[in-house]
Amino acid sequence: MAVRNLFFYFAAGLMVFAGCRGSSSLVQPAEDMPADSVGYTIIYMIHGDSDYLYHDGDGNPVRADERIAAEARRVAERAVGGEVFIFHQLPERRIFGLIPDDSRKMIYYLGGEKVSVLDYRSARDNRLFHAEYSLFSRYRAGRSGDDMKGDDTEGDDTEGDDIKTIFLYFGHEIPDRNGYGYHRSQEMVAVNRQTFAAGLEEFQEGTGKFDLTVLSSCNNGTPGMVRRMQPVTNTLLASAQNLHLSHVDTRPLYLLEESPGISTKRVAEAVASETFRRLDRTVQTEITLSVYDMSRITGAILQQDLSDLFRPPGMVPDRFADNTDCADFHLFRELDYTSGVRLWYRSPRFGSAAGKESHSGWGCRKTAKTDYRTTSR
């Protein structure tokens, strides 16, 4: 009994110790600051709980998540007319192997000034972005959700006085299904396109529909992902196939400061163009970047998971293979897949696809394997 009581007090002490960790406020709290001068909100969600090591053109080792976090801080320092949240999802640590520690990090900038820096932990109920949304709703400059809704108009370079909201995700491919093990230190948390979209929907209470969402991840420019993202964003930037780990360039977000009336669709195109130029100089593999105008993508392409149409009975997509161009499938070519899609494409420098001149802008899984769960023995 004495041992049990000793363990109880020890565990309680650890919880109190862990609970004492909090934010470091650098200036006055965000809720006390005027919000009428905030023209846009940028949310960086940087996944770092996995292997993000790559080598640059000079052979130097680089951690992709840390490089993006540094770039996000530089963007935030120039964002005089807006606010920037930087969430860095670092691997979970445990105090004495028992109590989850505050290992993730948030940095909040308002008007180009660093307002708050804090460590936090993931939500215990495994909702993907619940912890981040809780901090977002607490620290953001006070505005109603309706004030933040933007609606790009095709062919119009301005958005009036709407406050623009941009969500940027940097990580590995978001799987279609399952997704256990996506977080290296939290293997039982499922990260897939359904849970990802559900996590973004939680932000809608505070932002309304995002004006622009950027998925800096491989193989997520797919009909299935676009269908999931339609309720949460007006414009989506994603890669239909492989995307180099150095990630999407976000420096063109400076345009929000330099041209306050610019539409977020134009911003998306500038981000895609800058990323394409860099990758064209530095990589030999295929480059595919697509900007999807959600208001113009309708019809059969969003009615069902097209991968199911292209797959013979008893077969499943090989989750270890990269996407291929959906236009390689005859059934896909019969759909209206060009409306609302602007593409930046370059074929690989080598291999069977070298010299390919066109791409649909959509990615599908082509390689398949037998699904032993649906075949008879």
Side-chain angles (χ1 to χ4, degrees):
M1 181 65 69
V3 174
R4 182 181 301 175
N5 289 339
L6 180 63
F7 177 79
F8 171 78
Y9 289 119
F10 176 71
L14 285 178
M15 293 178 68
V16 171
F17 172 77
C20 291
R21 296 171 60 83
S23 68
S24 172
S25 294
L26 306 176
V27 295
Q28 64 186 110
E31 56 267 24
D32 295 337
M33 290 187 172
D36 53 1
S37 61
V38 176
Y40 54 88
T41 298
I42 301 173
I43 304 167
Y44 282 86
M45 194 72 66
I46 305 169
H47 186 254
D49 191 4
S50 188
D51 181 12
Y52 287 101
L53 180 67
Y54 74 98
H55 290 79
D56 63 18
D58 296 324
N60 300 312
V62 181
R63 277 194 58 88
D65 59 312
E66 293 176 354
R67 187 191 72 80
I68 287 297
E71 182 178 296
R73 292 192 295 271
R74 290 192 292 271
V75 170
E77 289 167 357
R78 292 185 59 177
V80 177
E83 60 181 348
V84 180
F85 288 84
I86 304 170
F87 294 104
H88 197 172
Q89 297 180 317
L90 293 164
E92 183 179 72
R93 300 187 304 264
R94 289 181 178 268
I95 303 173
F96 299 109
L98 297 173
I99 306 299
D101 194 12
D102 299 336
S103 54
R104 296 184 176 186
K105 184 175 291 292
M106 184 200 82
I107 308 176
Y108 174 58
Y109 287 79
L110 180 60
E113 298 290 336
K114 188 186 297 183
V115 173
S116 293
V117 179
L118 62 85
D119 298 326
Y120 70 99
R121 70 190 66 169
S122 60
R124 293 298 95 191
D125 59 4
N126 293 338
R127 283 185 285 176
L128 287 192
F129 304 129
H130 179 66
E132 287 81 8
Y133 172 68
S134 297
L135 293 172
F136 172 78
S137 61
R138 173 185 172 189
Y139 281 86
R140 62 187 289 269
R143 298 187 299 281
S144 66
D146 289 341
D147 291 336
M148 297 191 66
K149 294 178 181 178
D151 187 12
D152 287 357
T153 302
E154 175 64 19
D156 187 2
D157 286 339
T158 65
E159 290 176 333
D161 297 325
D162 288 331
I163 296 172
K164 304 173 181 68
T165 57
I166 298 176
F167 183 94
L168 307 108
Y169 182 78
F170 301 85
H172 289 309
E173 174 185 352
I174 302 162
D176 292 348
R177 302 175 179 86
N178 192 321
Y180 295 106
Y182 189 92
H183 299 308
R184 178 172 290 181
S185 65
Q186 296 174 279
E187 293 185 351
M188 297 312 296
V189 176
V191 180
N192 53 58
R193 65 188 182 195
Q194 179 178 353
T195 61
F196 186 89
L200 294 191
E201 287 173 359
E202 190 168 6
F203 275 84
Q204 305 307 289
E205 180 180 344
T207 66
K209 183 181 276 192
F210 293 131
D211 293 288
L212 168 62
T213 299
V214 175
L215 299 182
S216 183
S217 55
C218 295
N219 298 312
N220 283 137
T222 67
M225 179 59 86
V226 169
R227 185 176 70 251
R228 288 286 185 184
M229 297 299 292
Q230 271 204 319
V232 300
T233 192
N234 292 323
T235 304
L236 176 68
L237 168 58
S239 175
Q241 296 186 242
N242 191 27
L243 179 67
H244 193 259
L245 197 57
S246 57
H247 284 313
V248 163
D249 287 88
T250 64
R251 288 170 296 176
L253 294 179
Y254 298 153
L255 291 171
L256 294 168
E257 195 66 35
E258 298 170 355
S259 304
I262 192 171
S263 72
T264 43
K265 182 180 177 183
R266 303 300 184 202
V267 172
E269 292 170 345
V271 169
S273 295
E274 182 64 23
T275 303
F276 182 86
R277 281 194 292 269
R278 173 177 57 81
L279 293 177
D280 189 40
R281 296 192 306 266
T282 58
V283 305
Q284 303 297 311
T285 54
E286 193 169 36
I287 305 171
T288 308
L289 294 163
S290 298
V291 172
Y292 303 93
D293 182 345
M294 296 302 205
S295 66
R296 299 182 57 205
I297 299 174
T298 59
I301 200 168
L302 298 176
Q303 296 306 309
Q304 56 188 312
D305 192 332
L306 294 179
S307 297
D308 294 334
L309 289 178
F310 305 149
R311 187 168 62 248
M315 305 291 282
V316 297
D318 185 351
R319 64 189 181 92
F320 296 107
D322 281 330
N323 285 350
T324 188
D325 185 352
C326 286
D328 291 346
F329 298 92
H330 177 72
L331 287 174
F332 185 87
R333 293 197 295 270
E334 297 177 357
L335 305 177
D336 177 15
Y337 61 82
T338 60
S339 296
V341 181
R342 184 174 178 188
L343 174 69
W344 285 256
Y345 173 72
R346 193 208 70 196
S347 63
R349 303 293 194 192
F350 55 87
S352 60
K356 182 179 177 182
E357 296 181 355
S358 63
H359 195 286
S360 69
W362 298 90
C364 293
R365 284 286 197 267
K366 186 174 184 180
T367 304
K369 60 183 178 180
T370 303
D371 183 358
Y372 294 102
R373 296 168 300 176
T374 60
T375 55
S376 59
R377 295 183 179 179

